Amino acid sequence: MYFITVNGKPYETANGDKKLMLFLRDDLRLTSVKEGCGEGACGTCMVLIDGKATRACIPTVAKTNGKKVVTVDGLSQREKDVYAYCFAAAGAVQCGFCIPGFVISAKALLDKNQSPGRGEIKKAIRGNICRCTGYVKIEDAILMAAEFLREDKPIPAHSFKAKLGEDFHRVDAAEKTLGTGLYADDMVVEGMVYAKALRSKYPRAKVLSIDKSAAESHPDCIRVITAADVPGNIKCGHLVKDWDALIAIGGITRYVGDAVAIAVTKTKESLDEALGLIKVEYEELKPLTSPEMSLAGDAPKIHENGNLLSRQAIKRGDADAAIASSAHVVERHYSLPFTDHAFMEPECAIAIPDGGGLVLYTGSQSVFDEQREISGLLGIPPEKVRCRSMLVGGGFGGKEDMSVQHHAALAAWIVKKPVKIKFSREESIRVHTKRHAMEIDFTTACDKDGKITAVKATIISDTGAYASLGGPVLQRACTHAGGPYNFQNIDVTGMAAYTNNPPAGAYRGFGVPQSAFAMESNLNLLAEMVGISPWEIRYRNAIRPGQELPNGLDYDLAVREVAPGAARNLHKQGEGPLGGAKIGKLQAGIGKDYPDKPDPGKIQAFGDHLGSQEYIDHSFFKLLQN
């Protein structure tokens, strides 16, 4: 037997091989200890072991034998009140999944030093990762907590009406800080079983056979589900129904995240054993790993409609003529890679049969999309599917598509039991969508004074194995390629191609960071050629009231209205080529409170999305189907 004291209470267990994190979460139900990676990298499972901040996913129960463990739940009431208030007041809590781990690291520091400097705080929290706040506000919260504890300051009385301009606390800040708020994986339902998908061994391969007999003979295995068991439409997808929930026998996989079977077992510890007993025979095929390969004339089709998901273009004025007559021209090629969202909470969903339908508890970004996708997959009316979002531990666009939700729902529907599916960090990275990789040829020209005269660009977007939101992402990349600048000659062509890479979908910025990176990089080079600063070339070209952007949008409020002297000082004081002063752009148009409509005679913009022509007569844009 092994003996551990947790939050002042003695416990004993016979399973010495179990990770301390799982013992705390599963056996003691201390869900303030979060599982973000399971590999000792992220710090969401941070606890105190004999006073030292330690990631609980690393030591086993045996290694912790005879030691004292403290979680956020074991803090004194005074400490809980202080941390809850200070993290809320500092604005340090967003998704909140990482915050209990930061609180533990802060306690480890403040127990030894109640007057730390910012540098000491940075060192104390270096084992914790946050994807939302950028750390400064967390450091502010810890400095504030140190002051409250050191000076025994009372918690100020506070109440908020959440009016415009009021500095009020998030309504969920306290429960997130103290780990009492529930994320999907924190839930346990009576009679719940577990499921996991068997993923494709190859990015592109024909599935010749699936033998599930050995797996279903496993004593813990309840059922192995394949494509033949899907009662409704096996195709998912928010805009384009092209994503197979499961790859059928005879079907061809499109990336290594494709699911070929789902094992349902009584315990989560048995999932990998059951999956290992499923025998899949493949005929390996050569994958198409770039748009260049997939758009070649002799390339095999990834989808029946071909390998071109979307084509977009925006043209105004005569870019070629303007470039030819310009004093300075920069032409560069930029390669922008896939980027993972790296949200702290891995995907998790619990589906529960409910009469003739089901209830889904999830941590995704759109319960209505889930409802539509799952009802289609099961072949039941949408009103029979109720989706409830728990706290969401970060998303950034990466939790918009189906990942675990549809599989949990399908498994629960078939086995008639509550089913939980949770990704490991490795599975999360392998399966969910990414920021679009893009290859961009970008030409920017200006006159002798640094005034932009024209932009010409070709943008090739890798949308991966499935469409997701690849069409709209490409459209934004093209229409925003000119940046927040006033010039009237632009010629941008964009294509989004299917490949056998991981699917690309929504990600903060939605295609604009890629084209903005190219435009802004070229501007820096032009500034050198003109002999002015990077700030100055942006100031000279910034949109002014009454002017139009190259995409036809005009602004009522110009970037120039920032006091020029103050902005220049920011530039001089800042670090890097742009200093502290940055210029951004507003995403506005239909549905974005921006009523202006550009002259259709001045701008031509069109898109071709899987054969459906879209004509754009508004800057951000109203789409008319033709």
Side-chain angles (χ1 to χ4, degrees), residues 68-245:
K68 296 179 180 179
V69 175
V70 176
T71 71
V72 169
D73 314 80
L75 270 59
S76 70
Q77 189 59 50
R78 166 66 176 168
E79 289 174 311
K80 290 180 180 180
D81 292 343
V82 166
Y83 284 115
Y85 175 80
C86 293
F87 272 76
V93 183
Q94 292 190 36
C95 90
F97 195 79
C98 66
I99 297 301
F102 275 97
V103 170
I104 287 295
S105 293
K107 175 175 170 56
L109 171 65
L110 299 186
D111 280 351
K112 298 177 181 178
N113 178 7
Q114 287 199 338
S115 300
R118 195 173 289 270
E120 292 168 302
I121 292 174
K122 289 179 185 291
K123 184 177 180 180
I125 62 174
R126 63 185 176 183
N128 301 81
I129 296 174
C130 175
R131 282 284 286 134
C132 298
T133 68
Y135 300 101
V136 173
K137 292 183 178 181
I138 293 175
E139 295 168 12
D140 292 342
I142 297 173
L143 283 170
M144 192 186 308
E147 180 182 348
F148 270 77
L149 293 171
R150 180 178 65 249
E151 300 179 11
D152 197 25
K153 293 177 64 174
I155 303 298
H158 52 280
S159 62
F160 307 101
K161 296 182 179 179
K163 291 184 176 181
L164 185 64
E166 182 183 7
D167 184 11
F168 64 94
H169 296 182
R170 287 184 64 112
V171 296
D172 57 6
E175 65 176 0
K176 287 177 174 178
T177 301
L178 301 179
T180 57
L182 293 180
Y183 298 81
D185 189 40
D186 296 334
M187 294 183 60
V188 173
V189 179
E190 185 177 356
M192 185 174 75
V193 297
Y194 301 85
K196 185 176 181 178
L198 179 67
R199 304 290 169 179
S200 174
K201 188 177 180 180
Y202 306 101
R204 183 167 176 263
K206 186 174 183 178
V207 178
L208 302 178
S209 66
I210 302 174
D211 183 356
K212 57 184 182 178
S213 58
E216 290 190 323
S217 66
H218 188 286
D220 273 356
C221 186
I222 299 170
R223 179 77 180 264
V224 174
I225 298 167
T226 63
D229 299 311
V230 175
N233 183 6
I234 202 167
K235 298 281 189 179
C236 297
H238 293 343
L239 300 181
V240 181
K241 295 289 184 183
D242 64 354
W243 198 329
D244 294 84

Side-chain angles (χ1 to χ4, degrees), residues 26 188-196 215-224 262-275 411 415 417-420:
D26 298 345
V188 173
V189 179
E190 185 177 356
M192 185 174 75
V193 297
Y194 301 85
K196 185 176 181 178
E216 290 190 323
S217 66
H218 188 286
D220 273 356
C221 186
I222 299 170
R223 179 77 180 264
V224 174
I262 301 170
V264 185
T265 61
K266 298 175 184 177
T267 66
K268 61 182 177 182
E269 291 79 11
S270 301
L271 283 170
D272 287 336
E273 291 180 16
L275 290 177
V415 304
K417 295 176 181 291
V419 175
K420 176 186 278 192

Side-chain angles (χ1 to χ4, degrees), residues 51 152 297-298 307 369 587:
D152 197 25
D298 59 349
N307 294 344
D369 285 332
Q587 175 175 299

Side-chain angles (χ1 to χ4, degrees), residues 460-481:
I460 307 299
S461 175
D462 187 343
T463 204
Y466 299 102
S468 182
L469 297 176
V473 166
L474 176 67
Q475 184 187 85
R476 270 58 164 188
C478 292
T479 58
H480 289 65

Side-chain angles (χ1 to χ4, degrees), residues 49-71:
I49 299 180
D50 288 347
K52 182 180 179 180
T54 306
R55 301 173 188 90
C57 64
I58 297 176
T60 61
V61 167
K63 291 289 186 180
T64 323
N65 186 41
K67 298 184 178 182
K68 296 179 180 179
V69 175
V70 176
T71 71

